Amino acid sequence: MYLEHWQLREKPFENTADPRFLFRSGAHEEALNRLLYAVREKKGAAMLSGVFGCGKTLMAETLKMELSSGGRYKTAFIFNPLLSNVEILREIVFQLGVRDHLPKEKTELLHVLGDLLLQNANDGKNTVVIIDEAHVIDERIIFEELRLLLNFQKQNMFLLTLLLIGQPELKEKVNQIKQLQQRIAVSYYLDRLNPEETRQYISHRVRTAGQNDPIFTPEAVQLVTEHSGGIPRRINHLCDLALMAGFGKGARTIDKDIVQDIAKDLEL
Ligand SMILES: Nc1ncnc2c1ncn2[C@@H]1O[C@H](COP(=O)(O)OP(=O)(O)OP(=O)(O)O)[C@@H](O)[C@H]1O
Ligand SMILES: [Mg+2]
């Protein structure tokens, strides 16, 4: 392991959606603000789409963390929506806290869910349902089921906020279902980082992992920018392998030759 060599507390470029490592680029900040706005203002539905590996799941995890403090929100987080419409309903009800005697029938599930939402509202709590990877949903009936959740209302206020998150196809799928598209009150498209943001991203993650001195030379950063296309998951992958290779060579910094070798290997 290279931690000791680079004097790091932990690995800076792990490909997990860990909010502690969040780098607040302008776009990530905006994405988070819009999702928070949708939730706080009880906007019904919101959508976050964007290229693979650009931080959508991290935004969802960060939002969930922000909502969990203060006890004002009840959140269901579905990260694998390849389920039938009834299974999705069951999963939502389960995650909202009903662990025993989960009904199997749809009508009963809807009754339990309706009661739960009302109970939450009466307790002064907002209910949030986050569906990550929503672009994998193929059947229209599932989107319909999700849309119908927005019919749970009290005095014209939505009893839950639905957040749909996924890759660019999600936007196309939603746009094809006009009734759903019209219900999306807030929407955002998360893009790749620009070169300056990529530079800041790398140094932010290194610092968060406990090393305040730069490890990557400016030329190395430039190459990471080119080979990653500004996609954080790719940046992580390249940088992690570069740290490993640099450690193997006993290097004091990561220069452009190390990054070049890694990039070449990855392309093979
Ligand atoms: N703003 C950011 N700050 C810190 N790390 C980030 C940021 N954006 C993305 N990452 C990191 O990049 C990796 C990929 O992010 P994430 O899994 O959230 O992408 P995604 O958009 O959900 O990808 P996919 O479309 O494949 O589901 C993760 O390790 C994540 O922590
Ligand atoms: Mg994701």
PDB file of all heavy atoms in Angstrom, residues 114-136:
ATOM      1  N   GLY A 114     -49.928   5.448   2.085  1.00  0.00           N
ATOM      2  CA  GLY A 114     -50.744   6.651   2.306  1.00  0.00           C
ATOM      3  C   GLY A 114     -50.791   7.016   3.786  1.00  0.00           C
ATOM      4  O   GLY A 114     -50.601   8.178   4.160  1.00  0.00           O
ATOM      5  N   ASP A 115     -51.019   5.991   4.641  1.00  0.00           N
ATOM      6  CA  ASP A 115     -51.063   6.242   6.090  1.00  0.00           C
ATOM      7  C   ASP A 115     -49.720   6.764   6.597  1.00  0.00           C
ATOM      8  O   ASP A 115     -49.665   7.710   7.402  1.00  0.00           O
ATOM      9  CB  ASP A 115     -51.412   4.946   6.839  1.00  0.00           C
ATOM     10  CG  ASP A 115     -52.865   4.548   6.600  1.00  0.00           C
ATOM     11  OD1 ASP A 115     -53.626   5.393   6.072  1.00  0.00           O
ATOM     12  OD2 ASP A 115     -53.227   3.400   6.914  1.00  0.00           O
ATOM     13  N   LEU A 116     -48.656   6.137   6.076  1.00  0.00           N
ATOM     14  CA  LEU A 116     -47.300   6.539   6.497  1.00  0.00           C
ATOM     15  C   LEU A 116     -47.021   7.994   6.152  1.00  0.00           C
ATOM     16  O   LEU A 116     -46.493   8.758   6.972  1.00  0.00           O
ATOM     17  CB  LEU A 116     -46.289   5.713   5.716  1.00  0.00           C
ATOM     18  CG  LEU A 116     -45.495   4.618   6.389  1.00  0.00           C
ATOM     19  CD1 LEU A 116     -44.641   3.899   5.356  1.00  0.00           C
ATOM     20  CD2 LEU A 116     -44.625   5.183   7.480  1.00  0.00           C
ATOM     21  N   LEU A 117     -47.386   8.365   4.930  1.00  0.00           N
ATOM     22  CA  LEU A 117     -47.103   9.730   4.468  1.00  0.00           C
ATOM     23  C   LEU A 117     -47.879  10.745   5.293  1.00  0.00           C
ATOM     24  O   LEU A 117     -47.351  11.799   5.667  1.00  0.00           O
ATOM     25  CB  LEU A 117     -47.448   9.864   2.976  1.00  0.00           C
ATOM     26  CG  LEU A 117     -46.605   9.012   2.012  1.00  0.00           C
ATOM     27  CD1 LEU A 117     -47.087   9.175   0.572  1.00  0.00           C
ATOM     28  CD2 LEU A 117     -45.127   9.386   2.113  1.00  0.00           C
ATOM     29  N   LEU A 118     -49.128  10.400   5.582  1.00  0.00           N
ATOM     30  CA  LEU A 118     -49.937  11.309   6.411  1.00  0.00           C
ATOM     31  C   LEU A 118     -49.359  11.435   7.812  1.00  0.00           C
ATOM     32  O   LEU A 118     -49.272  12.540   8.372  1.00  0.00           O
ATOM     33  CB  LEU A 118     -51.357  10.777   6.510  1.00  0.00           C
ATOM     34  CG  LEU A 118     -52.371  11.411   5.570  1.00  0.00           C
ATOM     35  CD1 LEU A 118     -53.752  10.819   5.833  1.00  0.00           C
ATOM     36  CD2 LEU A 118     -52.412  12.939   5.725  1.00  0.00           C
ATOM     37  N   GLN A 119     -48.991  10.282   8.347  1.00  0.00           N
ATOM     38  CA  GLN A 119     -48.392  10.255   9.691  1.00  0.00           C
ATOM     39  C   GLN A 119     -47.141  11.134   9.727  1.00  0.00           C
ATOM     40  O   GLN A 119     -46.973  11.963  10.632  1.00  0.00           O
ATOM     41  CB  GLN A 119     -48.025   8.800  10.016  1.00  0.00           C
ATOM     42  CG  GLN A 119     -47.286   8.595  11.315  1.00  0.00           C
ATOM     43  CD  GLN A 119     -48.244   8.630  12.490  1.00  0.00           C
ATOM     44  OE1 GLN A 119     -49.241   7.929  12.469  1.00  0.00           O
ATOM     45  NE2 GLN A 119     -47.965   9.458  13.462  1.00  0.00           N
ATOM     46  N   ASN A 120     -46.268  10.968   8.709  1.00  0.00           N
ATOM     47  CA  ASN A 120     -45.049  11.789   8.649  1.00  0.00           C
ATOM     48  C   ASN A 120     -45.409  13.269   8.600  1.00  0.00           C
ATOM     49  O   ASN A 120     -44.820  14.089   9.304  1.00  0.00           O
ATOM     50  CB  ASN A 120     -44.210  11.433   7.413  1.00  0.00           C
ATOM     51  CG  ASN A 120     -43.497  10.109   7.573  1.00  0.00           C
ATOM     52  OD1 ASN A 120     -43.447   9.554   8.667  1.00  0.00           O
ATOM     53  ND2 ASN A 120     -42.960   9.590   6.478  1.00  0.00           N
ATOM     54  N   ALA A 121     -46.383  13.609   7.745  1.00  0.00           N
ATOM     55  CA  ALA A 121     -46.773  15.016   7.603  1.00  0.00           C
ATOM     56  C   ALA A 121     -47.311  15.546   8.941  1.00  0.00           C
ATOM     57  O   ALA A 121     -46.966  16.658   9.364  1.00  0.00           O
ATOM     58  CB  ALA A 121     -47.813  15.159   6.496  1.00  0.00           C
ATOM     59  N   ASN A 122     -48.122  14.740   9.607  1.00  0.00           N
ATOM     60  CA  ASN A 122     -48.673  15.178  10.905  1.00  0.00           C
ATOM     61  C   ASN A 122     -47.582  15.344  11.961  1.00  0.00           C
ATOM     62  O   ASN A 122     -47.694  16.164  12.860  1.00  0.00           O
ATOM     63  CB  ASN A 122     -49.730  14.179  11.400  1.00  0.00           C
ATOM     64  CG  ASN A 122     -50.977  14.240  10.530  1.00  0.00           C
ATOM     65  OD1 ASN A 122     -51.220  15.254   9.851  1.00  0.00           O
ATOM     66  ND2 ASN A 122     -51.760  13.170  10.511  1.00  0.00           N
ATOM     67  N   ASP A 123     -46.502  14.553  11.804  1.00  0.00           N
ATOM     68  CA  ASP A 123     -45.373  14.676  12.740  1.00  0.00           C
ATOM     69  C   ASP A 123     -44.430  15.804  12.330  1.00  0.00           C
ATOM     70  O   ASP A 123     -43.342  15.957  12.897  1.00  0.00           O
ATOM     71  CB  ASP A 123     -44.549  13.368  12.766  1.00  0.00           C
ATOM     72  CG  ASP A 123     -45.321  12.217  13.384  1.00  0.00           C
ATOM     73  OD1 ASP A 123     -46.365  12.474  13.997  1.00  0.00           O
ATOM     74  OD2 ASP A 123     -44.871  11.056  13.224  1.00  0.00           O
ATOM     75  N   GLY A 124     -44.778  16.534  11.280  1.00  0.00           N
ATOM     76  CA  GLY A 124     -43.933  17.644  10.805  1.00  0.00           C
ATOM     77  C   GLY A 124     -42.732  17.162  10.012  1.00  0.00           C
ATOM     78  O   GLY A 124     -41.721  17.858   9.907  1.00  0.00           O
ATOM     79  N   LYS A 125     -42.823  15.944   9.462  1.00  0.00           N
ATOM     80  CA  LYS A 125     -41.681  15.409   8.690  1.00  0.00           C
ATOM     81  C   LYS A 125     -42.036  15.312   7.221  1.00  0.00           C
ATOM     82  O   LYS A 125     -43.140  14.914   6.870  1.00  0.00           O
ATOM     83  CB  LYS A 125     -41.315  14.016   9.193  1.00  0.00           C
ATOM     84  CG  LYS A 125     -40.785  14.054  10.586  1.00  0.00           C
ATOM     85  CD  LYS A 125     -40.406  12.680  11.085  1.00  0.00           C
ATOM     86  CE  LYS A 125     -40.113  12.852  12.549  1.00  0.00           C
ATOM     87  NZ  LYS A 125     -39.230  12.184  13.213  1.00  0.00           N
ATOM     88  N   ASN A 126     -41.066  15.676   6.370  1.00  0.00           N
ATOM     89  CA  ASN A 126     -41.255  15.517   4.920  1.00  0.00           C
ATOM     90  C   ASN A 126     -40.716  14.165   4.487  1.00  0.00           C
ATOM     91  O   ASN A 126     -39.691  13.727   4.990  1.00  0.00           O
ATOM     92  CB  ASN A 126     -40.484  16.583   4.148  1.00  0.00           C
ATOM     93  CG  ASN A 126     -40.989  17.971   4.436  1.00  0.00           C
ATOM     94  OD1 ASN A 126     -41.883  18.157   5.264  1.00  0.00           O
ATOM     95  ND2 ASN A 126     -40.416  18.945   3.765  1.00  0.00           N
ATOM     96  N   THR A 127     -41.406  13.559   3.543  1.00  0.00           N
ATOM     97  CA  THR A 127     -40.949  12.263   3.038  1.00  0.00           C
ATOM     98  C   THR A 127     -40.282  12.457   1.679  1.00  0.00           C
ATOM     99  O   THR A 127     -40.805  13.170   0.824  1.00  0.00           O
ATOM    100  CB  THR A 127     -42.143  11.295   2.895  1.00  0.00           C
ATOM    101  OG1 THR A 127     -42.823  11.253   4.157  1.00  0.00           O
ATOM    102  CG2 THR A 127     -41.675   9.904   2.517  1.00  0.00           C
ATOM    103  N   VAL A 128     -39.105  11.824   1.529  1.00  0.00           N
ATOM    104  CA  VAL A 128     -38.354  11.967   0.283  1.00  0.00           C
ATOM    105  C   VAL A 128     -38.066  10.572  -0.277  1.00  0.00           C
ATOM    106  O   VAL A 128     -37.616   9.689   0.452  1.00  0.00           O
ATOM    107  CB  VAL A 128     -37.008  12.691   0.544  1.00  0.00           C
ATOM    108  CG1 VAL A 128     -36.251  12.915  -0.762  1.00  0.00           C
ATOM    109  CG2 VAL A 128     -37.246  14.015   1.253  1.00  0.00           C
ATOM    110  N   VAL A 129     -38.370  10.379  -1.551  1.00  0.00           N
ATOM    111  CA  VAL A 129     -38.056   9.101  -2.203  1.00  0.00           C
ATOM    112  C   VAL A 129     -37.029   9.367  -3.298  1.00  0.00           C
ATOM    113  O   VAL A 129     -37.295  10.113  -4.244  1.00  0.00           O
ATOM    114  CB  VAL A 129     -39.331   8.463  -2.804  1.00  0.00           C
ATOM    115  CG1 VAL A 129     -38.974   7.207  -3.602  1.00  0.00           C
ATOM    116  CG2 VAL A 129     -40.338   8.132  -1.700  1.00  0.00           C
ATOM    117  N   ILE A 130     -35.837   8.790  -3.130  1.00  0.00           N
ATOM    118  CA  ILE A 130     -34.767   8.984  -4.115  1.00  0.00           C
ATOM    119  C   ILE A 130     -34.623   7.701  -4.939  1.00  0.00           C
ATOM    120  O   ILE A 130     -34.451   6.623  -4.372  1.00  0.00           O
ATOM    121  CB  ILE A 130     -33.419   9.268  -3.413  1.00  0.00           C
ATOM    122  CG1 ILE A 130     -33.546  10.458  -2.447  1.00  0.00           C
ATOM    123  CG2 ILE A 130     -32.313   9.518  -4.435  1.00  0.00           C
ATOM    124  CD1 ILE A 130     -32.296  10.714  -1.593  1.00  0.00           C
ATOM    125  N   ILE A 131     -34.722   7.836  -6.253  1.00  0.00           N
ATOM    126  CA  ILE A 131     -34.508   6.670  -7.121  1.00  0.00           C
ATOM    127  C   ILE A 131     -33.233   6.921  -7.921  1.00  0.00           C
ATOM    128  O   ILE A 131     -33.219   7.753  -8.826  1.00  0.00           O
ATOM    129  CB  ILE A 131     -35.680   6.454  -8.120  1.00  0.00           C
ATOM    130  CG1 ILE A 131     -37.043   6.587  -7.440  1.00  0.00           C
ATOM    131  CG2 ILE A 131     -35.509   5.126  -8.874  1.00  0.00           C
ATOM    132  CD1 ILE A 131     -37.550   5.365  -6.751  1.00  0.00           C
ATOM    133  N   ASP A 132     -32.158   6.226  -7.534  1.00  0.00           N
ATOM    134  CA  ASP A 132     -30.903   6.382  -8.279  1.00  0.00           C
ATOM    135  C   ASP A 132     -30.885   5.376  -9.429  1.00  0.00           C
ATOM    136  O   ASP A 132     -31.639   4.396  -9.410  1.00  0.00           O
ATOM    137  CB  ASP A 132     -29.713   6.137  -7.336  1.00  0.00           C
ATOM    138  CG  ASP A 132     -28.391   6.655  -7.911  1.00  0.00           C
ATOM    139  OD1 ASP A 132     -28.415   7.335  -8.960  1.00  0.00           O
ATOM    140  OD2 ASP A 132     -27.331   6.380  -7.310  1.00  0.00           O
ATOM    141  N   GLU A 133     -30.052   5.621 -10.425  1.00  0.00           N
ATOM    142  CA  GLU A 133     -29.964   4.746 -11.612  1.00  0.00           C
ATOM    143  C   GLU A 133     -31.326   4.607 -12.282  1.00  0.00           C
ATOM    144  O   GLU A 133     -31.648   3.546 -12.842  1.00  0.00           O
ATOM    145  CB  GLU A 133     -29.454   3.340 -11.239  1.00  0.00           C
ATOM    146  CG  GLU A 133     -28.186   3.318 -10.426  1.00  0.00           C
ATOM    147  CD  GLU A 133     -26.931   3.173 -11.257  1.00  0.00           C
ATOM    148  OE1 GLU A 133     -27.028   3.180 -12.487  1.00  0.00           O
ATOM    149  OE2 GLU A 133     -25.857   3.100 -10.658  1.00  0.00           O
ATOM    150  N   ALA A 134     -32.126   5.648 -12.232  1.00  0.00           N
ATOM    151  CA  ALA A 134     -33.499   5.559 -12.753  1.00  0.00           C
ATOM    152  C   ALA A 134     -33.523   5.371 -14.274  1.00  0.00           C
ATOM    153  O   ALA A 134     -34.545   4.973 -14.819  1.00  0.00           O
ATOM    154  CB  ALA A 134     -34.289   6.804 -12.357  1.00  0.00           C
ATOM    155  N   HIS A 135     -32.355   5.601 -14.947  1.00  0.00           N
ATOM    156  CA  HIS A 135     -32.330   5.401 -16.406  1.00  0.00           C
ATOM    157  C   HIS A 135     -32.480   3.933 -16.791  1.00  0.00           C
ATOM    158  O   HIS A 135     -32.795   3.619 -17.923  1.00  0.00           O
ATOM    159  CB  HIS A 135     -31.033   5.958 -16.997  1.00  0.00           C
ATOM    160  CG  HIS A 135     -29.809   5.292 -16.435  1.00  0.00           C
ATOM    161  ND1 HIS A 135     -29.256   5.665 -15.237  1.00  0.00           N
ATOM    162  CD2 HIS A 135     -29.061   4.258 -16.884  1.00  0.00           C
ATOM    163  CE1 HIS A 135     -28.208   4.899 -14.985  1.00  0.00           C
ATOM    164  NE2 HIS A 135     -28.078   4.026 -15.962  1.00  0.00           N
ATOM    165  N   VAL A 136     -32.226   3.009 -15.829  1.00  0.00           N
ATOM    166  CA  VAL A 136     -32.360   1.580 -16.188  1.00  0.00           C
ATOM    167  C   VAL A 136     -33.823   1.131 -16.216  1.00  0.00           C
ATOM    168  O   VAL A 136     -34.127   0.052 -16.704  1.00  0.00           O
ATOM    169  CB  VAL A 136     -31.552   0.633 -15.248  1.00  0.00           C
ATOM    170  CG1 VAL A 136     -30.090   0.998 -15.222  1.00  0.00           C
ATOM    171  CG2 VAL A 136     -32.147   0.580 -13.852  1.00  0.00           C
TER     172      VAL A 136
END
